[in-house]
């Protein structure tokens, strides 16, 4: 059956275009139920024994939620208790348009066979499709479509001889929709009403998101905040220049202060300071907000006060709070553009990790949740299991923030485990940094090659056979995901051939399949202390793609002919097959190079590589490449308990630099090749030069030792750092380079057709990309695909040549890489803690030498700290933690 609509549309050129939209209807779409004998279905999803213990529904039943229930109560739908749910096509499409995160969560539920969720394509079923009536809103039409489909399901299942009293329950929180459903004789309940009827699972009530009615019940009568302006007013205000829009970024150190980054044209942006709770006006970190810039005489300086929210436990607002609502403590520095939030354009809420702090009122059900992230405000929730949740790490979602409420309202999502437990804290760390870490789905794993896997004759026919070369890999100890290997050999003409061989991950991960989409979403492998979260399944990362020794592996090779001055004579790229002769650590490779008694082919290759690498590095530094310093630590983990048992600073050897130089050379060579072939869609990586203000801390540090750092170019900075030496202070130069690292901008991926600035400041290279780590970086997989097309080794596909899609991919990769870095640092902090030294009445200069004793302060379970007590110089009456006893020998204690 065919429905069609015809309408005309005016084109940009002024012409008229006739458009015919066809909509096909069918009568053979399955209902998905096991009890049905009428539908000819291959596999049933909805169970015949759909029983759940309920005061309202003592009979088997399927649930059919409307769109708003899915959007607001996704936490309920994700609970293992909720099964046998019908998701209409109408609902799925609405959710997709209104919330991408919830749509993804809903799709994950639909793919979980244990949940028995079924998608019914009601918009293409002859008996459930309806057309929008004249004067009917799109929302009302969709509500009617949901009711029509509910009625069809009820009648359809009642006509089945084996239905055993099976019913369909419509869940809706819309009063009008519920009334019309009841008038039509449909069984319908509010979501809260149904969940509270589940007598065997009372804890599920805690996961209910508050409805608008509920939100009004738990707020005070006093208006604390200004009304948010409607979107129409905001849009007109932005258009006229009255308002500015930008991303709200709360301060970690002062809960009364935030900044809004207003993005202008190009790289131009303005930072607007917001101070005081009323001016913050219920915005939450990362929300997209509209701000009004205050008059110049109301501009203030950023506060230097560290202020954590220790506000009231209940709804009453104290006099001190009144002051906090109106303003925050202003600083003494230069004033900045200051504003106030007038409206929310887009919320960026998620489920937050943290801990519950119980109300002092006996038998209270309302409690304050304190997020682990200090930039997020406390959240008030209702729970009947507070005593159980005390001392637990839990997740809470925000439901809303009424203008009468000091804090936002939310609901309990789930418990993560006991606070302080290693696995629990790691889970918190991953969730807070938005690191995808769930097990790979069956859909992803289905695209893995079948074992045992071998290289076929077909593979060999399209690849260069390099198995005879003396190839070896050099990596950190314990590395199992070996991305790269190298070789160096003499050529008859006196030059040398050097090859960088990279795991050919793109051979196994084909564009657009489930494994490719998952890798694109994850973006990168994340390395934590004692744990690795892979970007691709372990069969690939640690086996088939890992260039281990003595096994044949598929590779993508970049091979140069290089003369004695380390100048490139020619470059070629080829898909290849290699057989690594050795998998070495940096220390093992260094010992081979240094041992004059070793002269085997692998050692000779390493010496050739090392000699050339030294020349390449010297040339790079002469061009202005920076050699900065960032202290890296290595944890030694107990194999049974997974506790850190030792900590040491990583020692860099010549072989570290050797591998780095050839990886850089390969990345630069590939970058130039893919840009030459695809100037509009090459995936490249750039490193912007820092603005002069970034160097303030570096200049201050140098000035304390009467030194001057020139920062007008990378070369000038590099030369200044080389010359920065202090007699009797050998570690000074390293400290200065650590500070210089913190002045740098973030390197980012970008699409060549969307940007004109390609320069990599830190490497002093005009063009750069990532090619050498496709096991752990998705960017490298895309670069491999581009290079393969460039040399005729593979075919292209539409997304690869679409600069807009490449740019969107780069945005995700930049986000994932940034969050992975933060997660990795947080993991180190968790295992070492972050030191804090506060001494009143005594001033220190940067680089002053002190001696301290160190102990762990665990008084705040969420934010444990290393406490330092000053030993030398001895200051009378000064102690960092005077209320604590001297740490005993069982606790961390050392002198520095």
């Amino acid at each position: 059956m065919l429905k069609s609509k015809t309408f005309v549309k005016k084109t940009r050129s002024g012409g008229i275009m006739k458009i015919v939209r066809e909509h096909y209807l069918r009568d053979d779409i399955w209902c998905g139920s096991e009890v049905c004998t009428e539908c000819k279905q291959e596999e049933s999803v909805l169970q015949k024994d759909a029983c759940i213990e309920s005061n309202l529904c003592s009979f088997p039943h399927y649930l059919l939620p409307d769109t708003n229930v899915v959007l607001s109560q996704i936490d309920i739908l994700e609970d293992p208790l909720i099964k046998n749910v019908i998701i209409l096509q109408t609902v799925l499409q609405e959710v997709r348009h209104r919330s991408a995160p919830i749509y993804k969560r809903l799709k994950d539920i639909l793919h979980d066979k244990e949940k028995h969720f079924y998608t019914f394509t009601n918009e293409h079923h002859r008996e459930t499709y309806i057309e929008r009536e004249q004067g009917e809103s799109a929302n009302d039409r969709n509500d009617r479509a949901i009711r029509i489909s509910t009625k069809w399901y009820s009648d359809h299942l009642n006509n089945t001889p084996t239905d055993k009293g099976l019913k369909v329950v419509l869940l809706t929180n819309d009063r009008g929709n519920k009334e019309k459903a009841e008038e039509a004789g449909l069984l319908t309940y509010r979501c809260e009403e149904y969940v509270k009827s589940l007598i065997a699972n009372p804890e599920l009530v805690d996961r209910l998101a508050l409805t608008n009615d509920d939100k009004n019940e738990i707020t005070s009568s006093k208006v604390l905040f200004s009304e948010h302006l409607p979107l129409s007013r905001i849009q007109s205000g932005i258009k006229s220049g009255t308002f500015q829009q930008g991303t709200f970024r709360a301060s970690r150190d002062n809960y009364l202060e935030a900044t809004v980054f207003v993005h202008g044209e190009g790289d131009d942006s303005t930072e607007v300071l917001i101070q005081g709770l009323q001016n913050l006006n219920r915005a939450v970190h990362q929300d997209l907000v509209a701000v009004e810039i205050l008059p110049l005489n109301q501009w203030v300086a950023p506060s230097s006060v560290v202020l954590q929210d220790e506000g009231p436990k209940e709804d009453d607002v104290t006099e001190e709070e009144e002051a906090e609502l109106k303003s925050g403590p202003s600083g003494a520095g230069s004033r900045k553009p200051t504003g106030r939030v007038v409206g929310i354009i887009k919320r960026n809420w998620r489920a937050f990790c943290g801990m519950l702090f119980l109300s002092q009122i006996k038998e209270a059900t309302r409690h304050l949740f304190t997020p682990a992230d200090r930039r997020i405000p406390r959240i008030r929730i209702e729970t009947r299991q507070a005593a159980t949740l005390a001392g637990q790490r839990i997740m809470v979602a925000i439901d809303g923030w009424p203008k009468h409420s000091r804090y936002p309202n939310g609901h309990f999502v789930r418990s993560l485990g006991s606070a302080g437990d290693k696995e629990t804290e790691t889970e918190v760390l991953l969730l807070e940094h938005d690191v995808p870490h769930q097990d790979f789905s069956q859909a992803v794993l289905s695209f893995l090659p079948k074992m045992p896997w071998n290289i076929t004759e077909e593979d060999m026919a399209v690849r260069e056979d390099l198995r005879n070369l003396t190839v070896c890999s050099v990596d950190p100890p314990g590395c199992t995901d070996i991305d790269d290997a190298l070789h160096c050999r003499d050529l008859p003409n006196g030059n040398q051939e050097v090859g960088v061989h990279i795991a050919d991950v793109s051979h196994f991960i084909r564009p657009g399949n489930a494994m490719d989409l998952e890798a694109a979403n994850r973006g990168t492998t994340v390395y934590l202390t004692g744990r690795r979260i892979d970007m691709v399944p372990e069969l690939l990362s640690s086996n088939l793609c890992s260039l281990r020794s003595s096994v044949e592996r598929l590779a993508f090779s970049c091979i140069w002919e290089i003369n004695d001055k380390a100048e490139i004579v020619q470059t070629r790229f080829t898909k290849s097959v290699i057989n690594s002769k050795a998998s070495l650590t940096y220390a093992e490779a260094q010992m081979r190079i240094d041992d004059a008694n070793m002269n085997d082919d692998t050692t000779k290759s390493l010496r050739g590589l090392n000699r050339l690498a030294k020349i390449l590095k010297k040339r790079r530094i002469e061009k202005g490449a920076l050699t900065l310093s960032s202290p890296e630590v290595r944890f030694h983990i107990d194999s049974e308990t997974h506790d850190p048992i030792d900590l040491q600073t990583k020692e860099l050897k010549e072989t570290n630099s050797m591998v780095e130089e050839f990886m850089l050379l390969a990345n630069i060579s590939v970058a130039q090749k893919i840009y030459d072939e695809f100037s509009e869609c090459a995936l490249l990586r750039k490193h912007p030069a820092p603005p002069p203000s970034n160097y303030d801390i570096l200049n201050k540090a140098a000035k304390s030792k009467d030194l001057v750092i020139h920062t007008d170019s990378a070369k000038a900075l590099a030369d200044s750092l080389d010359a920065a030496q202090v007699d009797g202070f050998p570690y000074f130069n390293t400290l200065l380079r650590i500070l210089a690292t913190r002045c740098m901008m973030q390197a980012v991926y970008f699409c060549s057709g969307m940007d004109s600035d390609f320069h990599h400041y830190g490497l002093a290279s005009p063009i750069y990309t990532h090619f050498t780590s496709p096991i752990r970086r998705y960017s490298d997989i895309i670069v491999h695909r581009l290079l393969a097309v460039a040399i005729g080794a593979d075919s292209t596909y539409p997304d690869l040549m679409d600069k807009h899609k490449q740019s969107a991919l780069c945005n995700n990769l930049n986000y994932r890489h940034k969050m992975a870095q933060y997660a990795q640092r947080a993991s180190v902090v968790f295992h070492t803690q972050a030191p804090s030294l506060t001494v009143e009445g005594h001033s220190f200069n940067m680089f002053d030498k002190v001696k301290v004793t160190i102990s762990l302060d665990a008084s705040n379970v969420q934010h444990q700290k290393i406490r330092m007590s000053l030993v030398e110089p001895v200051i009378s009456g000064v102690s960092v933690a005077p209320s604590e006893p001297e740490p005993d020998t069982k606790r961390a204690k050392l002198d520095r």
Side-chain angles (χ1 to χ4, degrees), residues 413-558:
V413 175
R414 64 187 174 102
S415 175
L416 301 172
S418 299
D421 175 76
K422 287 191 298 296
E423 289 187 9
T424 300
E425 297 301 332
T426 299
E427 179 75 2
V428 170
L429 185 153
L430 293 170
L431 289 167
E432 283 297 293
H433 293 93
D434 195 17
V435 175
H437 59 285
Q438 67 278 11
D439 291 340
F440 289 102
S441 68
Q442 286 303 312
V444 170
L445 298 176
S446 68
F447 286 95
L448 289 172
K450 300 295 182 286
M451 298 298 286
W453 174 85
N454 292 296
I455 297 174
T456 64
E457 291 183 7
E458 184 181 355
D459 293 328
M460 295 300 301
V462 294
R463 292 173 179 272
E464 193 169 339
D465 188 350
L466 303 180
R467 290 175 294 182
N468 63 310
L469 295 180
T470 306
V471 173
C472 69
S473 61
V474 183
D475 291 283
C479 179
T480 60
D481 52 344
I482 303 174
D483 283 291
D484 55 88
L486 305 99
H487 87 271
C488 177
R489 64 174 178 173
D490 295 332
L491 296 175
N493 64 0
N495 291 337
Q496 288 182 301
E497 178 187 86
V498 173
V500 166
H501 311 277
I502 306 300
D504 190 3
V505 181
S506 62
H507 172 84
F508 297 95
I509 301 180
R510 302 308 296 165
N513 67 25
M515 186 152 56
D516 181 46
L517 296 176
E518 181 66 23
N521 177 50
R522 295 189 177 211
T524 180
T525 293
V526 181
Y527 296 88
L528 306 179
T529 303
R531 182 176 175 187
R532 185 181 80 202
I533 294 94
D534 284 326
M535 183 185 77
V536 300
E538 190 176 16
L539 179 63
L540 297 184
S541 65
S542 296
N543 189 348
L544 301 184
C545 291
S546 185
L547 305 182
R548 301 183 299 184
S549 59
S550 305
V551 291
E552 296 178 356
R553 287 291 180 256
L554 303 180
F556 209 152
S557 300
C558 174

Side-chain angles (χ1 to χ4, degrees), residues 396-409:
V396 164
I398 297 177
D399 298 325
W401 196 340
K403 61 184 178 182
H404 305 84
S405 177
R406 170 68 175 77
Y407 298 108
N409 298 320

Side-chain angles (χ1 to χ4, degrees), residues 16 144 180 228 406 430 443 484 550 688 826 838 894:
I16 301 296
R144 186 161 59 90
K180 289 176 181 178
H228 286 148
R406 170 68 175 77
L430 293 170
D484 55 88
S550 305
T838 306
L894 54 130

Side-chain angles (χ1 to χ4, degrees), residues 63-315:
L63 297 176
L64 196 155
D66 71 2
T67 305
N68 286 326
V69 168
V70 173
L71 287 169
S72 63
Q73 306 293 352
I74 189 69
D75 292 323
I76 293 289
L77 297 177
E78 285 178 328
D79 193 277
L81 178 72
I82 304 300
K83 297 181 180 180
N84 295 295
V85 177
I86 301 163
I87 301 295
L88 298 180
Q89 180 187 1
T90 303
V91 171
L92 195 61
Q93 289 173 344
E94 277 197 286
V95 170
R96 182 180 183 182
H97 291 145
R98 291 172 61 180
S99 174
I102 292 179
Y103 176 74
K104 184 184 183 303
R105 291 168 69 180
L106 182 58
K107 292 289 285 184
D108 289 342
I109 300 173
L110 288 164
H111 288 139
D112 184 353
K113 291 185 178 181
E114 297 294 319
K115 291 284 287 174
H116 299 282
F117 272 52
Y118 180 68
T119 305
F120 179 63
T121 50
N122 63 301
E123 297 290 354
H124 289 279
H125 194 289
R126 182 170 56 86
E127 295 182 34
T128 57
Y129 171 75
I130 61 168
E131 292 188 359
R132 186 173 166 184
E133 296 175 349
Q134 189 172 1
E136 186 178 39
S137 69
N139 185 62
D140 288 343
R141 180 266 170 201
N142 289 340
D143 283 348
R144 186 161 59 90
I146 292 169
R147 295 194 299 271
I148 292 290
S149 296
T150 306
K151 181 75 165 65
W152 178 86
Y153 253 105
S154 297
D155 295 343
H156 180 75
L157 294 176
N158 282 337
N159 292 333
T160 302
T162 58
D163 76 332
K164 296 182 180 179
L166 188 63
K167 297 184 184 299
V168 176
V169 176
L170 172 62
L171 294 182
T172 178
N173 291 329
D174 185 293
R175 189 173 300 170
N177 192 25
K178 185 173 185 292
E179 288 174 356
K180 289 176 181 178
E182 289 171 341
E183 289 171 6
L186 301 178
L187 184 59
T188 178
Y189 297 110
R190 290 174 60 238
C191 185
E192 178 188 7
E193 189 180 11
Y194 176 79
V195 170
K196 287 182 176 179
S197 79
L198 304 178
I199 50 180
N201 299 87
E203 70 280 357
L204 195 58
V205 174
D206 286 352
R207 301 189 70 181
L208 276 169
L210 295 176
T211 63
N212 287 330
D213 291 340
D214 297 329
K215 292 171 189 173
N216 293 331
E217 287 177 5
I218 63 171
T219 58
S220 69
S221 59
K222 189 172 183 178
V223 175
L224 303 179
F225 299 99
S226 301
E227 192 81 59
H228 286 148
L229 296 180
L231 201 55
S232 57
R233 284 274 307 277
I234 290 173
Q235 289 170 338
S236 61
I238 291 172
K239 189 174 182 180
S240 67
T242 306
F243 305 142
Q244 308 287 327
Q245 74 171 15
T247 304
F248 182 89
R249 298 182 181 177
S251 168
R252 286 183 187 275
D253 300 319
N254 188 337
Y255 76 103
L256 299 177
E257 189 170 276
T259 51
V260 174
F261 282 79
V262 178
H263 302 287
E265 295 184 4
D267 293 330
D268 186 33
S269 62
T270 305
E271 185 177 299
V272 180
L273 182 66
I274 315 288
Q275 281 193 349
L277 288 178
Q278 283 188 343
N279 289 337
L280 297 175
N281 198 10
R282 296 170 288 156
V284 176
H285 184 64
Q286 294 292 7
D287 283 350
L288 186 63
V289 301
V291 294
E292 179 184 40
I293 307 296
L294 297 175
L296 187 62
N297 62 358
Q298 295 182 35
W299 289 13
V300 296
S303 172
S304 58
V305 176
V306 176
L307 193 60
Q308 301 302 322
D309 184 3
E310 302 294 343
K313 302 286 184 183
E314 313 306 331
D315 287 322

